[in-house]
Amino acid sequence: MAGGASAAKSSSTTGVRIVVVGDRATGKSSLIITAAAEAFPANVPPVLPPTRLPEDMFPDRVPVTVIDTSSSLENRGKLADELKRADAVVLTYACDQPSTLDRLSTFWLPELRRLEVKVPVIVAGCKLDLRDEQQPVSLEQVMSPIMQQFREIETCIECSAYKHIQIPEVFYYAQKAVLHPTAPLFDQEAQTLKPRCVRALKRIFILCDNDRDGALSDAELNDFQVKCFNAPLQPSEIVGVKRVVQEKLPEGVNENGLTLTGFLFLHALFIEKGRLETTWTVLRKFGYNNDIRLNDDQLLPPIKTTPDQSVELTSEAMEFLKGVFSLFDSDGDGALNAPELEDLFSTAPESPWSEAPFAIAAERNALGGLSLDGFLSKWALMTLLNPVISVENLVYIGYAGDPSSAVKVTRRRRVDRKKQQSDRSVFQCFVFGPKEAGKSELLHAFVGRPFSEIYTPTPATEERYTVNVVDQSVGTKKTLILREIPEDAVGKLLIHKEALAACDIAVFVHDSSNEASWTKATELLVQVASHGESTGYEVPCLIVAAKDDLEPFPTAIQDSTRVSQDMGIEAPIPISTRLGDFNNVYRRIVRAAEHPHLSIPETEAGKTRKQYHRLLNRSLMVVSVGAAVAVVGLAAYRVYATRRNTSG
């Protein structure tokens, strides 16, 4: 495997902007002029204008603009602005002035951090020709502790503009640090490839392993070489590559060809030898950017939806995921355990389900395995919350179709209400209720977690979801997502006009043994219903009477009957998570979501508003009928008058 630097291109098409900073009289301007004009200047102005270096100066032929700066206090604001626009920084000191070297770690490097300049830094010791030869200094010895402290330093180099020593190299290293940065690929301390780099290279290896035998044959290696570097490998070169690997790493080559271990070893070797452009060429040919994520043009474009639409996976994507599940269920137990899931996502930049809200959102078996329903449910949740990230991960794990074919936008919820039927496969349920009502237990029970006697309040800032597949009585399957809305978060949620637009159904949980809990739950119900009426985003609502194993408060039946009748919704559904008696609550939630024109509560204000509109419409109708009668009467009179005039 071989590659030229010219094959690698920056993800940016605007060129590289290098800003040169350092103490006064350290040789900044002389360094720039000598690089651009290839001659040492007789007269140097205090600060140069932006200087463009010749494009043929470096193999990449990417435009390089160098910005000179003043280190005076009055120009500090302009300096900060230039640094924030830099792709790379060249930080100078004078080899004949040790104090300027000290200033790198006491002022300049801390200042770059303070300004949050997160770009590669090249330290350039200028005026090498003026150093006192009686005091020899080892650059490595001097710079090693500084580089340990400031990892942003990419390279250190000493140069002389007057003697033309290593002037182009300063800007070559700066340009190279931008186009082929070390940090995303390689851990300098551990001397190993970084995890995200390994994951990307593993995906590339799998894509090139056409016969899926776990090794790149000579033909596959040659195809890879042509794709990345536009030139075939000679048979002797292939033999040479495999010999290098086999000598250092016997398991890097087997009878079928170069293994993944060998492929990764080769890239680590290139990077150790300073040939980062080879690995970057490979990554960019396969669509990766400097963050080692796929470029936007490889992924799903932003999806346009109205607030009351959602995004679901298509049947094509679901079939792909079922195949992936079977492929990675290596022990054939019908569930994916932690190592199998890690293997599945080992070609993505990281596992998308390692953190909230996905980490504990789905049901797992006694051994911690994720069933097929649980696996598909997590994908449904990720697609609902962030379809672009969901499709990105589909591509990382091998989805080969057009990214747009993986998802579909659902019909608007207000259209569903008019049609009195929802054709969605995934429903989102907002779970409201006062503290200690049993909201969390409703979510936990949905994914098979055992009942806990210990009450742990859900923080108002936390978004907690659970998701599972619900079998309907007719044999169809729907995915239900329960989102807990802590009591303290309701006010903040309902500030937004479109707060309920994403909600297919709202559930209000109360502790059936506690009258105060019931009162608060009904207050929340009225609050949510009022918000829906005023914004046009009405949602079906159900009341859940939790803790049915406890003695109900005295007026529970009368109160619940009155509220449900007054608001036109179903009577509360009694459940007991302690006893495992759920009264088909999840199926009933889905059924209500499927018929979004039913179970919509009406507040007194809403009824009054409706009655007013009804009266107004009736009045308008009377007026319009009266007007119509008048028009007919006028027409009849005109006919009569015409006839009379004619007969007269």
Side-chain angles (χ1 to χ4, degrees), residues 54-89:
E55 278 191 27
D56 59 357
M57 193 168 174
F58 307 118
D60 288 287
R61 302 186 71 84
V62 172
V64 173
T65 302
V66 184
I67 308 297
D68 194 9
T69 60
S70 167
S71 54
S72 63
L73 282 170
E74 58 268 25
N75 288 303
R76 206 47 66 81
K78 189 178 180 199
L79 173 67
D81 290 341
E82 292 292 2
L83 283 168
K84 286 173 183 177
R85 295 169 59 205
D87 294 316
V89 171

mmCIF file of all heavy atoms in Angstrom, residues 54-89:
data_model
loop_
_atom_site.group_PDB
_atom_site.id
_atom_site.type_symbol
_atom_site.label_atom_id
_atom_site.label_comp_id
_atom_site.label_asym_id
_atom_site.label_seq_id
_atom_site.Cartn_x
_atom_site.Cartn_y
_atom_site.Cartn_z
ATOM 1 N N PRO A 54 3.339 30.509 -3.107
ATOM 2 C CA PRO A 54 3.131 29.863 -4.419
ATOM 3 C C PRO A 54 2.487 28.483 -4.260
ATOM 4 O O PRO A 54 2.887 27.702 -3.393
ATOM 5 C CB PRO A 54 4.550 29.735 -4.984
ATOM 6 C CG PRO A 54 5.365 30.736 -4.233
ATOM 7 C CD PRO A 54 4.746 30.857 -2.881
ATOM 8 N N GLU A 55 1.477 28.182 -5.106
ATOM 9 C CA GLU A 55 0.743 26.914 -4.972
ATOM 10 C C GLU A 55 1.625 25.706 -5.241
ATOM 11 O O GLU A 55 1.384 24.619 -4.728
ATOM 12 C CB GLU A 55 -0.472 26.899 -5.909
ATOM 13 C CG GLU A 55 -1.653 27.642 -5.314
ATOM 14 C CD GLU A 55 -2.939 27.416 -6.074
ATOM 15 O OE1 GLU A 55 -3.091 26.355 -6.713
ATOM 16 O OE2 GLU A 55 -3.795 28.321 -6.043
ATOM 17 N N ASP A 56 2.656 25.883 -6.085
ATOM 18 C CA ASP A 56 3.517 24.740 -6.410
ATOM 19 C C ASP A 56 4.627 24.537 -5.383
ATOM 20 O O ASP A 56 5.526 23.727 -5.564
ATOM 21 C CB ASP A 56 4.112 24.906 -7.814
ATOM 22 C CG ASP A 56 4.941 26.185 -7.939
ATOM 23 O OD1 ASP A 56 5.006 26.963 -6.957
ATOM 24 O OD2 ASP A 56 5.524 26.413 -9.017
ATOM 25 N N MET A 57 4.542 25.276 -4.291
ATOM 26 C CA MET A 57 5.575 25.184 -3.254
ATOM 27 C C MET A 57 5.492 23.851 -2.507
ATOM 28 O O MET A 57 6.486 23.323 -2.026
ATOM 29 C CB MET A 57 5.395 26.351 -2.283
ATOM 30 C CG MET A 57 6.540 26.584 -1.327
ATOM 31 S SD MET A 57 6.313 28.189 -0.513
ATOM 32 C CE MET A 57 7.654 28.143 0.654
ATOM 33 N N PHE A 58 4.233 23.307 -2.407
ATOM 34 C CA PHE A 58 4.024 22.063 -1.663
ATOM 35 C C PHE A 58 3.284 21.056 -2.533
ATOM 36 O O PHE A 58 2.525 21.439 -3.439
ATOM 37 C CB PHE A 58 3.223 22.335 -0.385
ATOM 38 C CG PHE A 58 3.802 23.415 0.471
ATOM 39 C CD1 PHE A 58 3.079 24.568 0.738
ATOM 40 C CD2 PHE A 58 5.086 23.309 0.989
ATOM 41 C CE1 PHE A 58 3.613 25.579 1.518
ATOM 42 C CE2 PHE A 58 5.630 24.313 1.767
ATOM 43 C CZ PHE A 58 4.896 25.454 2.039
ATOM 44 N N PRO A 59 3.455 19.765 -2.266
ATOM 45 C CA PRO A 59 2.854 18.722 -3.117
ATOM 46 C C PRO A 59 1.326 18.768 -3.183
ATOM 47 O O PRO A 59 0.746 18.402 -4.193
ATOM 48 C CB PRO A 59 3.312 17.406 -2.466
ATOM 49 C CG PRO A 59 4.420 17.756 -1.551
ATOM 50 C CD PRO A 59 4.283 19.192 -1.196
ATOM 51 N N ASP A 60 0.663 19.211 -2.121
ATOM 52 C CA ASP A 60 -0.803 19.196 -2.114
ATOM 53 C C ASP A 60 -1.418 20.229 -3.045
ATOM 54 O O ASP A 60 -2.591 20.122 -3.394
ATOM 55 C CB ASP A 60 -1.326 19.432 -0.694
ATOM 56 C CG ASP A 60 -1.101 18.235 0.189
ATOM 57 O OD1 ASP A 60 -1.807 17.236 0.018
ATOM 58 O OD2 ASP A 60 -0.198 18.291 1.041
ATOM 59 N N ARG A 61 -0.624 21.257 -3.388
ATOM 60 C CA ARG A 61 -1.091 22.337 -4.270
ATOM 61 C C ARG A 61 -2.380 22.979 -3.743
ATOM 62 O O ARG A 61 -3.290 23.327 -4.497
ATOM 63 C CB ARG A 61 -1.298 21.832 -5.704
ATOM 64 C CG ARG A 61 -0.055 21.232 -6.324
ATOM 65 C CD ARG A 61 -0.271 20.880 -7.781
ATOM 66 N NE ARG A 61 -0.377 22.072 -8.607
ATOM 67 C CZ ARG A 61 0.659 22.755 -9.100
ATOM 68 N NH1 ARG A 61 1.891 22.358 -8.837
ATOM 69 N NH2 ARG A 61 0.476 23.825 -9.846
ATOM 70 N N VAL A 62 -2.462 23.102 -2.436
ATOM 71 C CA VAL A 62 -3.593 23.773 -1.794
ATOM 72 C C VAL A 62 -3.155 25.201 -1.469
ATOM 73 O O VAL A 62 -2.062 25.405 -0.940
ATOM 74 C CB VAL A 62 -4.013 23.028 -0.506
ATOM 75 C CG1 VAL A 62 -5.050 23.817 0.274
ATOM 76 C CG2 VAL A 62 -4.550 21.653 -0.850
ATOM 77 N N PRO A 63 -3.970 26.217 -1.795
ATOM 78 C CA PRO A 63 -3.574 27.606 -1.533
ATOM 79 C C PRO A 63 -3.247 27.838 -0.061
ATOM 80 O O PRO A 63 -3.987 27.394 0.826
ATOM 81 C CB PRO A 63 -4.810 28.415 -1.946
ATOM 82 C CG PRO A 63 -5.608 27.513 -2.818
ATOM 83 C CD PRO A 63 -5.301 26.116 -2.401
ATOM 84 N N VAL A 64 -2.129 28.537 0.191
ATOM 85 C CA VAL A 64 -1.721 28.851 1.558
ATOM 86 C C VAL A 64 -1.598 30.368 1.692
ATOM 87 O O VAL A 64 -0.863 31.004 0.930
ATOM 88 C CB VAL A 64 -0.384 28.181 1.920
ATOM 89 C CG1 VAL A 64 0.107 28.650 3.289
ATOM 90 C CG2 VAL A 64 -0.519 26.664 1.910
ATOM 91 N N THR A 65 -2.323 30.942 2.645
ATOM 92 C CA THR A 65 -2.226 32.373 2.946
ATOM 93 C C THR A 65 -1.616 32.518 4.329
ATOM 94 O O THR A 65 -2.065 31.886 5.289
ATOM 95 C CB THR A 65 -3.620 33.034 2.921
ATOM 96 O OG1 THR A 65 -4.201 32.820 1.636
ATOM 97 C CG2 THR A 65 -3.524 34.525 3.181
ATOM 98 N N VAL A 66 -0.558 33.359 4.405
ATOM 99 C CA VAL A 66 0.136 33.555 5.675
ATOM 100 C C VAL A 66 -0.182 34.950 6.199
ATOM 101 O O VAL A 66 -0.080 35.943 5.466
ATOM 102 C CB VAL A 66 1.660 33.377 5.512
ATOM 103 C CG1 VAL A 66 2.353 33.492 6.872
ATOM 104 C CG2 VAL A 66 1.979 32.028 4.880
ATOM 105 N N ILE A 67 -0.576 35.019 7.469
ATOM 106 C CA ILE A 67 -0.952 36.282 8.113
ATOM 107 C C ILE A 67 0.126 36.669 9.116
ATOM 108 O O ILE A 67 0.405 35.933 10.063
ATOM 109 C CB ILE A 67 -2.311 36.154 8.836
ATOM 110 C CG1 ILE A 67 -3.390 35.579 7.902
ATOM 111 C CG2 ILE A 67 -2.734 37.497 9.421
ATOM 112 C CD1 ILE A 67 -3.716 36.424 6.705
ATOM 113 N N ASP A 68 0.727 37.844 8.888
ATOM 114 C CA ASP A 68 1.704 38.393 9.832
ATOM 115 C C ASP A 68 0.941 39.131 10.932
ATOM 116 O O ASP A 68 -0.176 39.612 10.714
ATOM 117 C CB ASP A 68 2.632 39.350 9.088
ATOM 118 C CG ASP A 68 3.880 39.708 9.893
ATOM 119 O OD1 ASP A 68 4.099 39.078 10.947
ATOM 120 O OD2 ASP A 68 4.618 40.613 9.458
ATOM 121 N N THR A 69 1.511 39.213 12.126
ATOM 122 C CA THR A 69 0.826 39.891 13.238
ATOM 123 C C THR A 69 1.802 40.752 14.022
ATOM 124 O O THR A 69 3.016 40.534 14.003
ATOM 125 C CB THR A 69 0.197 38.880 14.216
ATOM 126 O OG1 THR A 69 1.233 38.048 14.761
ATOM 127 C CG2 THR A 69 -0.846 38.023 13.537
ATOM 128 N N SER A 70 1.217 41.734 14.707
ATOM 129 C CA SER A 70 1.994 42.577 15.610
ATOM 130 C C SER A 70 1.787 42.070 17.033
ATOM 131 O O SER A 70 0.685 41.683 17.405
ATOM 132 C CB SER A 70 1.520 44.026 15.497
ATOM 133 O OG SER A 70 2.043 44.801 16.560
ATOM 134 N N SER A 71 2.843 42.102 17.827
ATOM 135 C CA SER A 71 2.725 41.628 19.214
ATOM 136 C C SER A 71 2.532 42.785 20.191
ATOM 137 O O SER A 71 2.536 42.579 21.401
ATOM 138 C CB SER A 71 3.968 40.826 19.608
ATOM 139 O OG SER A 71 5.136 41.596 19.367
ATOM 140 N N SER A 72 2.347 44.005 19.653
ATOM 141 C CA SER A 72 2.181 45.160 20.539
ATOM 142 C C SER A 72 0.830 45.108 21.244
ATOM 143 O O SER A 72 -0.139 44.538 20.730
ATOM 144 C CB SER A 72 2.305 46.465 19.740
ATOM 145 O OG SER A 72 1.261 46.531 18.786
ATOM 146 N N LEU A 73 0.772 45.730 22.407
ATOM 147 C CA LEU A 73 -0.441 45.681 23.223
ATOM 148 C C LEU A 73 -1.638 46.308 22.526
ATOM 149 O O LEU A 73 -2.755 45.804 22.615
ATOM 150 C CB LEU A 73 -0.210 46.415 24.552
ATOM 151 C CG LEU A 73 0.578 45.648 25.626
ATOM 152 C CD1 LEU A 73 0.932 46.554 26.775
ATOM 153 C CD2 LEU A 73 -0.238 44.453 26.119
ATOM 154 N N GLU A 74 -1.400 47.408 21.778
ATOM 155 C CA GLU A 74 -2.525 48.095 21.145
ATOM 156 C C GLU A 74 -3.141 47.270 20.010
ATOM 157 O O GLU A 74 -4.278 47.518 19.594
ATOM 158 C CB GLU A 74 -2.109 49.487 20.621
ATOM 159 C CG GLU A 74 -0.973 49.492 19.612
ATOM 160 C CD GLU A 74 0.399 49.653 20.273
ATOM 161 O OE1 GLU A 74 0.533 49.300 21.466
ATOM 162 O OE2 GLU A 74 1.314 50.124 19.596
ATOM 163 N N ASN A 75 -2.400 46.285 19.507
ATOM 164 C CA ASN A 75 -2.930 45.435 18.432
ATOM 165 C C ASN A 75 -3.425 44.076 18.938
ATOM 166 O O ASN A 75 -3.671 43.168 18.148
ATOM 167 C CB ASN A 75 -1.851 45.204 17.360
ATOM 168 C CG ASN A 75 -1.593 46.463 16.546
ATOM 169 O OD1 ASN A 75 -2.504 47.020 15.948
ATOM 170 N ND2 ASN A 75 -0.349 46.931 16.542
ATOM 171 N N ARG A 76 -3.573 43.938 20.253
ATOM 172 C CA ARG A 76 -3.938 42.642 20.829
ATOM 173 C C ARG A 76 -5.322 42.168 20.363
ATOM 174 O O ARG A 76 -5.541 40.979 20.144
ATOM 175 C CB ARG A 76 -3.904 42.769 22.355
ATOM 176 C CG ARG A 76 -3.656 41.512 23.156
ATOM 177 C CD ARG A 76 -2.526 40.643 22.702
ATOM 178 N NE ARG A 76 -1.198 41.136 22.793
ATOM 179 C CZ ARG A 76 -0.441 41.153 23.879
ATOM 180 N NH1 ARG A 76 -0.915 40.727 25.018
ATOM 181 N NH2 ARG A 76 0.798 41.582 23.827
ATOM 182 N N GLY A 77 -6.263 43.097 20.182
ATOM 183 C CA GLY A 77 -7.607 42.721 19.721
ATOM 184 C C GLY A 77 -7.577 42.156 18.312
ATOM 185 O O GLY A 77 -8.217 41.135 18.022
ATOM 186 N N LYS A 78 -6.803 42.825 17.431
ATOM 187 C CA LYS A 78 -6.702 42.348 16.042
ATOM 188 C C LYS A 78 -6.008 40.986 16.006
ATOM 189 O O LYS A 78 -6.374 40.104 15.230
ATOM 190 C CB LYS A 78 -5.924 43.362 15.197
ATOM 191 C CG LYS A 78 -5.976 43.044 13.716
ATOM 192 C CD LYS A 78 -5.253 44.070 12.880
ATOM 193 C CE LYS A 78 -5.373 43.653 11.422
ATOM 194 N NZ LYS A 78 -4.381 44.282 10.563
ATOM 195 N N LEU A 79 -5.003 40.816 16.865
ATOM 196 C CA LEU A 79 -4.287 39.536 16.946
ATOM 197 C C LEU A 79 -5.249 38.408 17.325
ATOM 198 O O LEU A 79 -5.246 37.330 16.720
ATOM 199 C CB LEU A 79 -3.165 39.647 17.980
ATOM 200 C CG LEU A 79 -2.412 38.351 18.318
ATOM 201 C CD1 LEU A 79 -1.607 37.869 17.121
ATOM 202 C CD2 LEU A 79 -1.495 38.546 19.514
ATOM 203 N N ALA A 80 -6.100 38.674 18.309
ATOM 204 C CA ALA A 80 -7.073 37.661 18.745
ATOM 205 C C ALA A 80 -8.020 37.297 17.612
ATOM 206 O O ALA A 80 -8.339 36.119 17.400
ATOM 207 C CB ALA A 80 -7.856 38.173 19.953
ATOM 208 N N ASP A 81 -8.479 38.295 16.853
ATOM 209 C CA ASP A 81 -9.379 38.034 15.716
ATOM 210 C C ASP A 81 -8.715 37.150 14.672
ATOM 211 O O ASP A 81 -9.325 36.225 14.139
ATOM 212 C CB ASP A 81 -9.819 39.356 15.067
ATOM 213 C CG ASP A 81 -10.765 40.145 15.955
ATOM 214 O OD1 ASP A 81 -11.351 39.532 16.870
ATOM 215 O OD2 ASP A 81 -10.916 41.365 15.737
ATOM 216 N N GLU A 82 -7.454 37.452 14.367
ATOM 217 C CA GLU A 82 -6.729 36.658 13.366
ATOM 218 C C GLU A 82 -6.540 35.224 13.850
ATOM 219 O O GLU A 82 -6.683 34.266 13.084
ATOM 220 C CB GLU A 82 -5.364 37.295 13.056
ATOM 221 C CG GLU A 82 -5.422 38.632 12.337
ATOM 222 C CD GLU A 82 -5.945 38.529 10.905
ATOM 223 O OE1 GLU A 82 -6.311 37.417 10.464
ATOM 224 O OE2 GLU A 82 -6.002 39.563 10.229
ATOM 225 N N LEU A 83 -6.227 35.067 15.123
ATOM 226 C CA LEU A 83 -5.999 33.721 15.664
ATOM 227 C C LEU A 83 -7.267 32.877 15.613
ATOM 228 O O LEU A 83 -7.211 31.672 15.360
ATOM 229 C CB LEU A 83 -5.488 33.809 17.098
ATOM 230 C CG LEU A 83 -4.005 34.205 17.240
ATOM 231 C CD1 LEU A 83 -3.676 34.552 18.680
ATOM 232 C CD2 LEU A 83 -3.100 33.083 16.740
ATOM 233 N N LYS A 84 -8.416 33.517 15.838
ATOM 234 C CA LYS A 84 -9.673 32.767 15.815
ATOM 235 C C LYS A 84 -10.047 32.311 14.410
ATOM 236 O O LYS A 84 -10.872 31.408 14.249
ATOM 237 C CB LYS A 84 -10.791 33.612 16.435
ATOM 238 C CG LYS A 84 -10.651 33.702 17.955
ATOM 239 C CD LYS A 84 -11.641 34.663 18.573
ATOM 240 C CE LYS A 84 -11.404 34.761 20.086
ATOM 241 N NZ LYS A 84 -12.277 35.738 20.736
ATOM 242 N N ARG A 85 -9.447 32.912 13.388
ATOM 243 C CA ARG A 85 -9.721 32.523 11.996
ATOM 244 C C ARG A 85 -8.630 31.609 11.432
ATOM 245 O O ARG A 85 -8.667 31.229 10.267
ATOM 246 C CB ARG A 85 -9.836 33.774 11.120
ATOM 247 C CG ARG A 85 -11.030 34.659 11.484
ATOM 248 C CD ARG A 85 -10.957 36.006 10.786
ATOM 249 N NE ARG A 85 -10.930 35.865 9.343
ATOM 250 C CZ ARG A 85 -10.403 36.755 8.501
ATOM 251 N NH1 ARG A 85 -9.842 37.853 8.977
ATOM 252 N NH2 ARG A 85 -10.428 36.547 7.208
ATOM 253 N N ALA A 86 -7.651 31.259 12.265
ATOM 254 C CA ALA A 86 -6.489 30.488 11.784
ATOM 255 C C ALA A 86 -6.817 29.014 11.596
ATOM 256 O O ALA A 86 -7.618 28.446 12.344
ATOM 257 C CB ALA A 86 -5.335 30.636 12.771
ATOM 258 N N ASP A 87 -6.203 28.399 10.586
ATOM 259 C CA ASP A 87 -6.229 26.937 10.446
ATOM 260 C C ASP A 87 -5.034 26.321 11.162
ATOM 261 O O ASP A 87 -5.067 25.165 11.578
ATOM 262 C CB ASP A 87 -6.184 26.544 8.965
ATOM 263 C CG ASP A 87 -7.427 26.974 8.221
ATOM 264 O OD1 ASP A 87 -8.526 26.779 8.759
ATOM 265 O OD2 ASP A 87 -7.303 27.519 7.111
ATOM 266 N N ALA A 88 -3.937 27.102 11.236
ATOM 267 C CA ALA A 88 -2.735 26.658 11.951
ATOM 268 C C ALA A 88 -2.005 27.902 12.430
ATOM 269 O O ALA A 88 -2.165 28.994 11.867
ATOM 270 C CB ALA A 88 -1.832 25.832 11.042
ATOM 271 N N VAL A 89 -1.204 27.732 13.486
ATOM 272 C CA VAL A 89 -0.431 28.849 14.043
ATOM 273 C C VAL A 89 1.049 28.487 13.988
ATOM 274 O O VAL A 89 1.439 27.378 14.371
ATOM 275 C CB VAL A 89 -0.849 29.130 15.501
ATOM 276 C CG1 VAL A 89 0.090 30.132 16.158
ATOM 277 C CG2 VAL A 89 -2.282 29.641 15.561
#
